[in-house]
Each structure stands twice: as structure tokens, then as C-alpha cells.
Amino acid sequence: MSNTEGILVIDANETAYHHILLPVFHREALDQLTGIVCTMLHGRGALSIIQIVEVPSGLSMNHARELKVAHNMLSHARACAEAHGVSPTARVIKTRSAAEAILETAAAERADLVVLGFSPRRPSDRRRCLKIDRQVRKRASCDVVTLLFSRPRR
């Protein structure tokens, strides 16, 4: 594995990463994102998938309307990984800050790579994604790769 001018090159004959953390944000690119991550593992590493549900500070942590959708998306991500021969761990995390949850999970699970994949729909989504990316990159104790998927034009 080498990192040349911001380009991450992974040798297919070596296991570059042993534990990858994949936070799931958007359904649109989930299949491609999971496939990319599973390929990076070469079938020889661990994958942790987390679905983050951000709860605004004005609401109780028990007030998460999106929980059912989160569990469905997480199930889909798990099925995609299993189709690639990877048996991931998967869980939903309710939090006030997506970046904090990613950083805490990466540290607790000793991940050596965090893969952030975004498919923003609106300019406000894009700003949120960039904010999460900046915060995670700035404080992560492991490598961070960010993939930005554009939505198909109609």
C-alpha cells in the first residue's frame, strides 16, 4: 500500500487494512460503497458498519423517528457485504454528532481505516457531509478515505 500525492494505492496481493469502519449515510450509493470496501478487505479483514442517526439537541435521544429506516438501511448494507463474502458487524448509533460517533467507534474498535461515502441531495446535505468529513479527518487516529457519489441526472 502506498499513498502518493493524496492517491491511495492498494496492492491486491497484500491485506492493506485489517479493520474497516463504514459509516452509512445515504442509500443511493450503498451497494457501490459496500462493494468497494469489501474489495479493499480482500476477504481477509473485519468490517464494522454503523448507521448513524443524528438526534437534534432539542429532542430527547429516545426521539428518533428515523430508527426504522436506519435499521432497514443497515440490513441492506449487511446483505451487500455478505454477498461479497464479508460477514460484518453492524449497529445503529443514536448521537448528537455524527463525527464524534465515527471517531469514538473507530478508536474503540481499533479500525485502521474509516471509509466515508456521501451522496448529498441538496446543498445543505453537501455542507453537512463536508463538515463531517473535515471533523473526522482532523481527529482520526487512522486513515480516512472519502468517496463522494453524484446523483444521476434525469
Side-chain angles (χ1 to χ4, degrees), residues 71-104:
H71 282 287
N72 288 340
M73 199 154 68
L74 194 62
S75 293
H76 183 77
R78 178 182 285 162
C80 287
E82 289 171 350
H84 286 277
V86 176
S87 296
T89 60
R91 65 189 170 114
V92 173
I93 299 175
K94 291 189 292 185
T95 184
R96 301 278 186 217
S97 166
E100 283 299 319
I102 293 166
L103 291 163
E104 289 170 8

Side-chain angles (χ1 to χ4, degrees), residues 30-150:
L30 188 56
D31 294 351
Q32 298 101 316
L33 182 60
T34 306
I36 291 166
V37 170
C38 290
T39 301
M40 293 173 78
L41 283 171
H42 307 296
R44 293 176 268 186
L47 173 60
S48 296
I49 303 173
I50 57 173
Q51 169 67 48
I52 296 173
V53 176
E54 277 188 303
V55 180
S57 59
L59 298 175
S60 162
M61 287 300 280
N62 294 324
H63 179 86
R65 292 186 319 228
E66 300 87 5
L67 232 48
K68 184 176 181 181
V69 172
H71 282 287
N72 288 340
M73 199 154 68
L74 194 62
S75 293
H76 183 77
R78 178 182 285 162
C80 287
E82 289 171 350
H84 286 277
V86 176
S87 296
T89 60
R91 65 189 170 114
V92 173
I93 299 175
K94 291 189 292 185
T95 184
R96 301 278 186 217
S97 166
E100 283 299 319
I102 293 166
L103 291 163
E104 289 170 8
T105 304
E109 297 189 6
R110 293 191 165 104
D112 47 12
L113 176 66
V114 173
V115 177
L116 299 172
F118 300 112
S119 179
R121 296 179 189 130
R122 299 178 299 273
S124 60
D125 291 341
R126 187 173 179 85
R127 284 190 298 276
R128 179 178 166 264
C129 294
L130 292 173
K131 180 180 175 184
I132 292 168
D133 179 68
R134 257 192 323 273
Q135 290 173 340
V136 171
R137 284 182 177 283
K138 184 176 181 179
R139 297 180 36 220
S141 58
C142 62
D143 290 343
V144 178
V145 171
T146 303
L147 303 170
L148 186 61
F149 295 88
S150 61

Side-chain angles (χ1 to χ4, degrees), residues 8-22:
L8 185 65
V9 179
I10 300 172
D11 184 345
N13 296 316
E14 68 177 67
T15 302
Y17 294 104
H18 301 283
H19 191 148
I20 297 178
L21 176 64
L22 176 61

